[in-house]
Amino acid sequence: MSEDHKSMWKNLGLDLVAHDALLKVLGKGYKDIYLAQKNRPEGMEYFDFVISEMHGLRIRELLDERARGRKVIGSFCVFVPEEIVRATDSTLVGLCSGADFAMDEVEKLLPRNTCSLIKSAFGFKLGKVCPYLESADMIVGENTCDGKKKSYETLNNLIPNLYVMDTPQVKSAEGRALLKTEYLRFKEAVEELTEVTIDAIRLKKGIEIVNNKRKAIHRLSSLRKADPAPISGLDALLANQVFFYDDPLRFTESVNKICDELEQRIKKKEGVFPEKTPRILISGCPMAVPNWKLPWIIETSGAVIVGEESCVGERGTRNLTDDNRDTVEELMETIVDRYFDVDCAIFTPNPDRLDHIVEMAEEYKADGVIHYGLQFCQPYLMESMPVEKALETKNIPTLRIETDYSMEDVEQLKTRVEAFVELLK
Ligand code: BJ8
């Protein structure tokens, strides 16, 4: 690692020894899981680079932006509207992480039976290893699941610039009104932080930038319908993960470039795996970097992942925001409409999600669905049962997996996944 990066991390207050250890583990994991894949599209080199510089050059870019007066806002959920942040020329970065860190310290503050996603965010803060957390001018929490909303009360003592957004739990007129109130309050908070007044031109521009990222991902998703699949699920997941960190214009361009390449592959019937490889749709909790465990197990067990019904995937990106309006008020309404359609399991009831999973399974020609629930995640574990039922009625085989970020259950999971894949053949 360059001395430059080291002094940057030191200035951010990171624990250099712990951070170094983390980067070593990440580097090894990436090499074993990603670089070991065969037949990857050439365009993935860009994403390899992004991951290798995720804590280096990308942080440097964000700090440079800050030095020019721009702001960086961190978030843990796809309910935080990126359009509003972009409208002020600020950058929104995802803060969820997919690895255990400083768990002894975390369990002094949170009950042991808290999901890995929440514990991991605390671990990265307490272990002083997340340069994104330390570079953010504002960190947005949201009252989604009980675990998150209660943990923000504790996180508030560790982070001076935490802003908490309320979110509805029911898709009713009152629920939508609550989301609108909260988005208007958030807009004001972002305007105050950035000292920028959001007008219609700015908001339209923000919407356009974020929509373009989503459109590039839609294009990528749709190419995954081909058999043989032109890209692995691991690589597609990586693009979905980088969605939350990268410069949006560069990201859009890079994903579109990969899509050009994939189109050529499809023409030549070139795939990452042979034709007729069993196709899997993953559905459930979000998978943040470097949570690649389950996809890795699936794709080394003779199957290919063709879609993710997840916030790091189609649940997070599927809808566009309508920018065909003239005033800030009208554009804010379309933003509310767009996000109110997100079918997170915190909503009750949540029938749209079941319909969407069935639709996705059919559209991506999945032979089976693997439902991924993080241990102690009540919303998604509870919903895994109706999901299974809904898929059963369509004769789509389902495997329900409950796991965490540790590697202890890899062998056991592999045995279950292999048996499931056998069934699909
Ligand atoms: S919109 S899925 S990103 S809340 S895994 S912390 S639900 S106990 S992440 Fe999420 Fe927003 Fe919903 Fe998406 Fe709680 Fe479950 Fe943990 Fe979770």
Side-chain angles (χ1 to χ4, degrees):
M1 253 329 134
S2 81
E3 282 309 309
D4 259 16
H5 284 357
K6 279 202 173 143
S7 68
M8 172 177 76
W9 296 328
K10 199 162 167 224
N11 292 338
L12 286 173
L14 298 193
D15 177 334
L16 291 187
V17 177
H19 184 244
D20 219 33
L22 174 73
L23 290 191
K24 271 205 184 103
V25 175
L26 282 185
K28 175 154 179 6
Y30 195 76
K31 188 166 161 249
D32 293 348
I33 294 175
Y34 273 88
L35 303 182
Q37 295 179 94
K38 302 232 165 26
N39 306 328
R40 297 178 79 208
E42 275 173 29
M44 284 312 294
E45 271 175 22
Y46 170 74
F47 289 95
D48 293 342
F49 177 72
V50 170
I51 289 290
S52 71
E53 286 295 341
M54 202 167 145
H55 281 201
L57 286 180
R58 182 63 185 135
I59 297 296
R60 167 96 39 224
E61 278 182 340
L62 294 178
L63 295 179
D64 287 348
E65 282 180 24
R66 285 180 79 194
R68 293 200 303 275
R70 292 178 166 194
K71 302 290 178 194
V72 175
I73 298 179
S75 119
F76 296 103
C77 176
V78 299
F79 270 112
V80 179
E82 189 174 353
E83 293 88 337
I84 294 177
V85 175
R86 274 282 140 209
T88 63
D89 292 326
S90 305
T91 300
L92 188 74
V93 289
L95 293 175
C96 295
S97 45
D100 288 339
F101 208 83
M103 280 302 130
D104 290 350
E105 291 305 305
V106 173
E107 287 181 7
K108 286 180 194 157
L109 297 178
L110 296 176
R112 201 187 55 78
N113 58 353
T114 305
C115 86
S116 294
L117 209 124
I118 298 173
K119 278 184 171 174
S120 169
F122 273 68
F124 274 55
K125 176 66 197 168
L126 294 167
K128 298 185 188 146
V129 291
C130 180
Y132 289 91
L133 264 170
E134 309 307 332
S135 309
D137 297 285
M138 180 201 250
I139 289 169
V140 188
E142 20 49 60
N143 292 339
T144 44
C145 66
D146 284 354
K148 274 184 164 181
K149 77 179 168 226
K150 293 306 285 181
S151 72
Y152 293 135
E153 293 172 20
T154 310
L155 194 66
N156 200 23
N157 302 323
L158 308 175
I159 290 179
N161 48 359
L162 184 70
Y163 172 99
V164 180
M165 177 186 280
D166 206 5
T167 54
Q169 311 269 308
V170 180
K171 299 242 171 141
S172 58
E174 292 77 10
R176 189 190 178 283
L178 169 62
L179 194 66
K180 182 177 164 189
T181 307
E182 283 300 292
Y183 280 6
L184 291 174
R185 187 171 72 90
F186 179 61
K187 177 176 147 291
E188 270 176 34
V190 175
E191 286 179 321
E192 195 182 311
L193 174 80
T194 57
E195 296 177 4
V196 171
T197 304
I198 299 177
D199 57 22
I201 295 175
R202 282 184 164 275
L203 201 47
K204 265 177 180 273
K205 185 78 201 153
I207 293 174
E208 187 193 331
I209 292 174
V210 184
N211 272 349
N212 284 344
K213 283 210 287 186
R214 293 177 184 136
K215 283 181 198 161
I217 284 287
H218 295 172
R219 192 175 159 212
L220 177 70
S221 306
S222 127
L223 294 169
R224 295 168 74 192
K225 291 175 191 167
D227 187 16
I231 185 167
S232 69
L234 273 165
D235 278 337
L237 173 65
L238 194 69
N240 276 290
Q241 290 174 330
V242 168
F243 182 96
F244 293 92
Y245 300 95
D246 202 4
D247 172 83
L249 301 182
R250 194 172 53 206
F251 174 83
T252 302
E253 199 188 314
S254 309
V255 174
N256 277 319
K257 217 166 126 198
I258 292 193
C259 292
D260 295 340
E261 189 185 342
L262 298 188
E263 278 169 2
Q264 294 309 314
R265 282 189 157 203
I266 293 172
K267 267 192 201 144
K268 291 187 235 151
K269 281 222 157 232
E270 248 175 52
V272 262
F273 299 102
E275 209 174 339
K276 305 250 180 298
T277 296
R279 301 163 67 87
I280 303 275
L281 175 77
I282 291 196
S283 164
C285 292
M287 290 175 178
V289 175
N291 179 9
W292 303 308
K293 178 171 80 172
L294 185 60
W296 170 61
I297 290 174
I298 295 171
E299 294 201 325
T300 51
S301 299
V304 58
I305 299 161
V306 291
E308 299 77 23
E309 189 280 320
S310 158
C311 283
V312 183
E314 197 155 316
R315 192 188 314 123
T317 55
R318 75 168 159 148
N319 300 320
L320 298 177
T321 304
D322 185 358
D323 65 350
N324 193 17
R325 298 288 187 284
D326 298 318
T327 65
V328 171
E329 290 69 32
E330 288 168 335
L331 291 165
M332 285 299 293
E333 293 287 347
T334 65
I335 291 176
V336 174
D337 284 339
R338 190 263 163 204
Y339 285 88
F340 198 52
D341 271 349
V342 174
D343 47 10
C344 170
I346 58 145
F347 281 98
T348 178
N350 194 26
D352 292 354
R353 180 167 170 246
L354 305 191
D355 294 343
H356 184 220
I357 297 170
V358 172
E359 246 171 60
M360 279 186 79
E362 289 171 350
E363 209 181 315
Y364 293 96
K365 301 184 205 90
D367 298 302
V369 174
I370 296 190
H371 191 277
Y372 166 72
L374 275 176
Q375 218 176 10
F376 310 123
C377 168
Q378 296 295 353
Y380 282 91
L381 292 177
M382 288 257 184
E383 249 181 47
S384 67
M385 317 245 178
V387 166
E388 189 173 38
K389 268 217 176 104
L391 290 163
E392 249 172 31
T393 60
K394 299 278 176 186
N395 293 322
I396 302 170
T398 312
L399 174 69
R400 284 191 283 127
I401 297 281
E402 182 179 337
T403 183
D404 58 14
Y405 287 176
S406 80
M407 295 303 265
E408 280 161 25
D409 58 355
V410 166
E411 285 310 315
Q412 195 199 342
L413 289 180
K414 193 148 176 61
T415 310
R416 291 186 61 206
V417 169
E418 277 171 356
F420 183 64
V421 173
E422 256 331 286
L423 184 105
L424 303 179
K425 279 182 182 164

mmCIF file of all heavy atoms in Angstrom, residues 47 83 96 102 107 117 125 138-139 154 171-172 191 195 215 218 223 240 242 267 282 311 322 338 342 345 355 366 397:
data_model
loop_
_atom_site.group_PDB
_atom_site.id
_atom_site.type_symbol
_atom_site.label_atom_id
_atom_site.label_comp_id
_atom_site.label_asym_id
_atom_site.label_seq_id
_atom_site.Cartn_x
_atom_site.Cartn_y
_atom_site.Cartn_z
ATOM 1 N N PHE A 47 -13.831 -3.454 -12.531
ATOM 2 C CA PHE A 47 -14.364 -3.680 -11.186
ATOM 3 C C PHE A 47 -13.304 -4.269 -10.252
ATOM 4 O O PHE A 47 -13.300 -4.003 -9.058
ATOM 5 C CB PHE A 47 -15.632 -4.539 -11.246
ATOM 6 C CG PHE A 47 -16.773 -3.764 -11.835
ATOM 7 C CD1 PHE A 47 -17.074 -3.856 -13.179
ATOM 8 C CD2 PHE A 47 -17.505 -2.895 -11.058
ATOM 9 C CE1 PHE A 47 -18.088 -3.101 -13.732
ATOM 10 C CE2 PHE A 47 -18.524 -2.128 -11.587
ATOM 11 C CZ PHE A 47 -18.818 -2.231 -12.943
ATOM 12 N N GLU A 83 -31.195 10.811 -5.449
ATOM 13 C CA GLU A 83 -31.486 11.937 -6.340
ATOM 14 C C GLU A 83 -31.333 13.277 -5.612
ATOM 15 O O GLU A 83 -30.810 14.244 -6.167
ATOM 16 C CB GLU A 83 -32.938 11.842 -6.857
ATOM 17 C CG GLU A 83 -33.219 10.663 -7.775
ATOM 18 C CD GLU A 83 -33.626 9.389 -7.031
ATOM 19 O OE1 GLU A 83 -33.290 9.248 -5.847
ATOM 20 O OE2 GLU A 83 -34.256 8.530 -7.655
ATOM 21 N N CYS A 96 -23.135 -0.072 4.367
ATOM 22 C CA CYS A 96 -23.320 -1.433 4.878
ATOM 23 C C CYS A 96 -22.078 -2.248 4.555
ATOM 24 O O CYS A 96 -21.484 -2.082 3.500
ATOM 25 C CB CYS A 96 -24.500 -2.109 4.186
ATOM 26 S SG CYS A 96 -26.038 -1.321 4.570
ATOM 27 N N ALA A 102 -14.259 -6.764 14.887
ATOM 28 C CA ALA A 102 -14.303 -6.295 16.286
ATOM 29 C C ALA A 102 -15.572 -6.773 17.010
ATOM 30 O O ALA A 102 -16.212 -6.013 17.729
ATOM 31 C CB ALA A 102 -14.206 -4.766 16.323
ATOM 32 N N GLU A 107 -20.368 -6.746 20.710
ATOM 33 C CA GLU A 107 -21.317 -7.421 21.602
ATOM 34 C C GLU A 107 -21.370 -6.803 22.998
ATOM 35 O O GLU A 107 -22.180 -7.201 23.827
ATOM 36 C CB GLU A 107 -21.042 -8.927 21.591
ATOM 37 C CG GLU A 107 -21.528 -9.511 20.250
ATOM 38 C CD GLU A 107 -21.343 -11.004 20.079
ATOM 39 O OE1 GLU A 107 -20.954 -11.666 21.057
ATOM 40 O OE2 GLU A 107 -21.576 -11.488 18.948
ATOM 41 N N LEU A 117 -25.505 -7.799 9.503
ATOM 42 C CA LEU A 117 -25.393 -6.537 8.773
ATOM 43 C C LEU A 117 -25.256 -5.356 9.743
ATOM 44 O O LEU A 117 -24.431 -4.459 9.552
ATOM 45 C CB LEU A 117 -26.647 -6.373 7.915
ATOM 46 C CG LEU A 117 -26.471 -5.584 6.645
ATOM 47 C CD1 LEU A 117 -26.920 -6.412 5.469
ATOM 48 C CD2 LEU A 117 -27.247 -4.313 6.669
ATOM 49 N N LYS A 125 -17.049 0.587 12.695
ATOM 50 C CA LYS A 125 -16.869 1.869 13.401
ATOM 51 C C LYS A 125 -15.961 1.667 14.623
ATOM 52 O O LYS A 125 -14.971 2.378 14.801
ATOM 53 C CB LYS A 125 -18.248 2.415 13.834
ATOM 54 C CG LYS A 125 -18.193 3.689 14.658
ATOM 55 C CD LYS A 125 -17.657 4.851 13.830
ATOM 56 C CE LYS A 125 -17.213 6.006 14.698
ATOM 57 N NZ LYS A 125 -16.446 7.012 13.970
ATOM 58 N N MET A 138 -22.290 13.535 6.655
ATOM 59 C CA MET A 138 -23.568 13.198 7.293
ATOM 60 C C MET A 138 -23.794 11.701 7.093
ATOM 61 O O MET A 138 -23.486 11.167 6.027
ATOM 62 C CB MET A 138 -24.704 13.979 6.613
ATOM 63 C CG MET A 138 -26.079 13.727 7.182
ATOM 64 S SD MET A 138 -27.352 14.167 5.965
ATOM 65 C CE MET A 138 -28.052 15.581 6.683
ATOM 66 N N ILE A 139 -24.312 11.046 8.133
ATOM 67 C CA ILE A 139 -24.615 9.618 8.003
ATOM 68 C C ILE A 139 -26.101 9.451 8.271
ATOM 69 O O ILE A 139 -26.616 9.950 9.275
ATOM 70 C CB ILE A 139 -23.745 8.798 8.969
ATOM 71 C CG1 ILE A 139 -22.307 8.839 8.455
ATOM 72 C CG2 ILE A 139 -24.239 7.356 9.082
ATOM 73 C CD1 ILE A 139 -21.290 8.315 9.378
ATOM 74 N N THR A 154 -27.969 3.673 19.709
ATOM 75 C CA THR A 154 -26.621 3.434 20.240
ATOM 76 C C THR A 154 -25.560 4.038 19.330
ATOM 77 O O THR A 154 -24.583 4.629 19.804
ATOM 78 C CB THR A 154 -26.403 1.902 20.394
ATOM 79 O OG1 THR A 154 -27.516 1.375 21.090
ATOM 80 C CG2 THR A 154 -25.122 1.590 21.131
ATOM 81 N N LYS A 171 -48.143 0.155 3.371
ATOM 82 C CA LYS A 171 -48.321 0.859 2.090
ATOM 83 C C LYS A 171 -49.725 1.448 2.011
ATOM 84 O O LYS A 171 -50.578 0.978 1.253
ATOM 85 C CB LYS A 171 -48.067 -0.111 0.929
ATOM 86 C CG LYS A 171 -46.662 -0.676 0.942
ATOM 87 C CD LYS A 171 -45.876 -0.299 -0.277
ATOM 88 C CE LYS A 171 -44.432 -0.696 -0.142
ATOM 89 N NZ LYS A 171 -43.789 -1.204 -1.321
ATOM 90 N N SER A 172 -49.958 2.453 2.826
ATOM 91 C CA SER A 172 -51.262 3.117 2.858
ATOM 92 C C SER A 172 -51.049 4.582 2.492
ATOM 93 O O SER A 172 -49.906 5.041 2.370
ATOM 94 C CB SER A 172 -51.826 3.036 4.274
ATOM 95 O OG SER A 172 -50.893 3.654 5.167
ATOM 96 N N GLU A 191 -29.873 20.419 2.072
ATOM 97 C CA GLU A 191 -29.666 21.804 1.621
ATOM 98 C C GLU A 191 -28.892 22.589 2.683
ATOM 99 O O GLU A 191 -27.995 23.361 2.360
ATOM 100 C CB GLU A 191 -31.017 22.484 1.341
ATOM 101 C CG GLU A 191 -31.670 21.991 0.057
ATOM 102 C CD GLU A 191 -33.029 22.647 -0.218
ATOM 103 O OE1 GLU A 191 -33.802 22.849 0.741
ATOM 104 O OE2 GLU A 191 -33.312 22.951 -1.380
ATOM 105 N N GLU A 195 -25.390 23.912 1.797
ATOM 106 C CA GLU A 195 -25.623 25.324 1.471
ATOM 107 C C GLU A 195 -25.984 25.492 -0.001
ATOM 108 O O GLU A 195 -25.572 26.446 -0.659
ATOM 109 C CB GLU A 195 -24.405 26.179 1.847
ATOM 110 C CG GLU A 195 -24.159 26.164 3.344
ATOM 111 C CD GLU A 195 -22.923 26.939 3.751
ATOM 112 O OE1 GLU A 195 -22.282 27.555 2.896
ATOM 113 O OE2 GLU A 195 -22.607 26.903 4.952
ATOM 114 N N LYS A 215 -30.467 2.314 -15.261
ATOM 115 C CA LYS A 215 -30.715 1.777 -16.608
ATOM 116 C C LYS A 215 -29.567 0.860 -17.040
ATOM 117 O O LYS A 215 -29.791 -0.152 -17.702
ATOM 118 C CB LYS A 215 -30.873 2.920 -17.614
ATOM 119 C CG LYS A 215 -32.229 3.605 -17.533
ATOM 120 C CD LYS A 215 -32.300 4.704 -18.597
ATOM 121 C CE LYS A 215 -33.404 5.686 -18.305
ATOM 122 N NZ LYS A 215 -33.241 6.962 -19.022
ATOM 123 N N HIS A 218 -30.135 -2.318 -15.424
ATOM 124 C CA HIS A 218 -31.251 -3.039 -16.058
ATOM 125 C C HIS A 218 -30.753 -3.758 -17.330
ATOM 126 O O HIS A 218 -31.157 -4.879 -17.608
ATOM 127 C CB HIS A 218 -32.371 -2.080 -16.484
ATOM 128 C CG HIS A 218 -33.050 -1.394 -15.335
ATOM 129 N ND1 HIS A 218 -33.965 -0.385 -15.504
ATOM 130 C CD2 HIS A 218 -32.939 -1.571 -13.987
ATOM 131 C CE1 HIS A 218 -34.390 0.023 -14.315
ATOM 132 N NE2 HIS A 218 -33.766 -0.667 -13.385
ATOM 133 N N LEU A 223 -29.399 -8.973 -19.959
ATOM 134 C CA LEU A 223 -28.487 -9.853 -20.707
ATOM 135 C C LEU A 223 -28.275 -11.187 -19.976
ATOM 136 O O LEU A 223 -27.891 -12.188 -20.585
ATOM 137 C CB LEU A 223 -27.149 -9.145 -20.936
ATOM 138 C CG LEU A 223 -27.242 -7.914 -21.856
ATOM 139 C CD1 LEU A 223 -25.955 -7.105 -21.820
ATOM 140 C CD2 LEU A 223 -27.561 -8.348 -23.281
ATOM 141 N N ASN A 240 -23.441 -4.695 -8.875
ATOM 142 C CA ASN A 240 -24.511 -4.158 -8.018
ATOM 143 C C ASN A 240 -23.962 -3.599 -6.706
ATOM 144 O O ASN A 240 -24.516 -2.660 -6.139
ATOM 145 C CB ASN A 240 -25.551 -5.248 -7.733
ATOM 146 C CG ASN A 240 -26.572 -5.369 -8.848
ATOM 147 O OD1 ASN A 240 -27.405 -4.483 -9.037
ATOM 148 N ND2 ASN A 240 -26.505 -6.438 -9.615
ATOM 149 N N VAL A 242 -20.825 -2.322 -6.346
ATOM 150 C CA VAL A 242 -20.045 -1.118 -6.650
ATOM 151 C C VAL A 242 -20.965 0.079 -6.954
ATOM 152 O O VAL A 242 -20.587 1.235 -6.759
ATOM 153 C CB VAL A 242 -19.045 -1.421 -7.815
ATOM 154 C CG1 VAL A 242 -18.417 -0.159 -8.365
ATOM 155 C CG2 VAL A 242 -17.961 -2.379 -7.332
ATOM 156 N N LYS A 267 -24.116 -13.323 -28.797
ATOM 157 C CA LYS A 267 -24.178 -13.635 -30.237
ATOM 158 C C LYS A 267 -23.375 -14.892 -30.552
ATOM 159 O O LYS A 267 -23.773 -15.721 -31.345
ATOM 160 C CB LYS A 267 -23.601 -12.465 -31.039
ATOM 161 C CG LYS A 267 -24.663 -11.486 -31.463
ATOM 162 C CD LYS A 267 -24.104 -10.506 -32.489
ATOM 163 C CE LYS A 267 -24.976 -9.274 -32.500
ATOM 164 N NZ LYS A 267 -24.242 -8.048 -32.704
ATOM 165 N N ILE A 282 -31.469 -15.607 -6.598
ATOM 166 C CA ILE A 282 -31.291 -15.407 -5.152
ATOM 167 C C ILE A 282 -32.299 -14.360 -4.713
ATOM 168 O O ILE A 282 -32.512 -13.359 -5.401
ATOM 169 C CB ILE A 282 -29.859 -14.916 -4.817
ATOM 170 C CG1 ILE A 282 -28.850 -16.030 -5.069
ATOM 171 C CG2 ILE A 282 -29.767 -14.456 -3.377
ATOM 172 C CD1 ILE A 282 -27.515 -15.785 -4.412
ATOM 173 N N CYS A 311 -31.856 -5.785 -2.194
ATOM 174 C CA CYS A 311 -31.589 -4.343 -2.303
ATOM 175 C C CYS A 311 -30.251 -4.096 -2.974
ATOM 176 O O CYS A 311 -30.028 -3.025 -3.525
ATOM 177 C CB CYS A 311 -31.655 -3.683 -0.934
ATOM 178 S SG CYS A 311 -33.376 -3.477 -0.456
ATOM 179 N N ASP A 322 -39.536 9.183 -12.281
ATOM 180 C CA ASP A 322 -40.060 9.940 -13.410
ATOM 181 C C ASP A 322 -39.555 11.387 -13.314
ATOM 182 O O ASP A 322 -39.801 12.067 -12.320
ATOM 183 C CB ASP A 322 -41.597 9.883 -13.338
ATOM 184 C CG ASP A 322 -42.251 10.533 -14.536
ATOM 185 O OD1 ASP A 322 -41.521 11.060 -15.400
ATOM 186 O OD2 ASP A 322 -43.496 10.512 -14.601
ATOM 187 N N ARG A 338 -41.545 6.682 -6.421
ATOM 188 C CA ARG A 338 -40.544 5.689 -6.814
ATOM 189 C C ARG A 338 -40.105 4.842 -5.616
ATOM 190 O O ARG A 338 -40.056 3.616 -5.665
ATOM 191 C CB ARG A 338 -39.344 6.415 -7.437
ATOM 192 C CG ARG A 338 -38.329 5.514 -8.095
ATOM 193 C CD ARG A 338 -37.162 5.223 -7.170
ATOM 194 N NE ARG A 338 -36.440 4.063 -7.653
ATOM 195 C CZ ARG A 338 -35.698 3.296 -6.877
ATOM 196 N NH1 ARG A 338 -35.566 3.560 -5.603
ATOM 197 N NH2 ARG A 338 -35.111 2.234 -7.360
ATOM 198 N N VAL A 342 -40.666 0.355 -3.273
ATOM 199 C CA VAL A 342 -39.643 -0.625 -2.869
ATOM 200 C C VAL A 342 -40.308 -1.637 -1.926
ATOM 201 O O VAL A 342 -40.920 -1.251 -0.933
ATOM 202 C CB VAL A 342 -38.454 0.070 -2.162
ATOM 203 C CG1 VAL A 342 -37.466 -0.964 -1.608
ATOM 204 C CG2 VAL A 342 -37.741 1.030 -3.124
ATOM 205 N N ALA A 345 -39.023 -6.142 3.118
ATOM 206 C CA ALA A 345 -39.817 -6.986 4.026
ATOM 207 C C ALA A 345 -40.238 -6.265 5.304
ATOM 208 O O ALA A 345 -40.994 -6.819 6.097
ATOM 209 C CB ALA A 345 -39.035 -8.254 4.362
ATOM 210 N N ASP A 355 -45.036 -11.413 -5.500
ATOM 211 C CA ASP A 355 -45.322 -11.374 -6.942
ATOM 212 C C ASP A 355 -44.043 -11.119 -7.733
ATOM 213 O O ASP A 355 -43.804 -11.731 -8.777
ATOM 214 C CB ASP A 355 -46.319 -10.243 -7.278
ATOM 215 C CG ASP A 355 -47.679 -10.504 -6.663
ATOM 216 O OD1 ASP A 355 -47.945 -11.646 -6.273
ATOM 217 O OD2 ASP A 355 -48.473 -9.539 -6.557
ATOM 218 N N ALA A 366 -35.265 -18.962 -14.192
ATOM 219 C CA ALA A 366 -34.570 -19.638 -13.090
ATOM 220 C C ALA A 366 -35.158 -21.033 -12.894
ATOM 221 O O ALA A 366 -36.372 -21.213 -12.962
ATOM 222 C CB ALA A 366 -34.717 -18.821 -11.812
ATOM 223 N N PRO A 397 -38.841 -24.839 -7.483
ATOM 224 C CA PRO A 397 -38.205 -25.342 -6.265
ATOM 225 C C PRO A 397 -37.485 -24.227 -5.497
ATOM 226 O O PRO A 397 -36.909 -23.318 -6.107
ATOM 227 C CB PRO A 397 -37.175 -26.359 -6.780
ATOM 228 C CG PRO A 397 -37.514 -26.602 -8.203
ATOM 229 C CD PRO A 397 -38.269 -25.424 -8.701
#
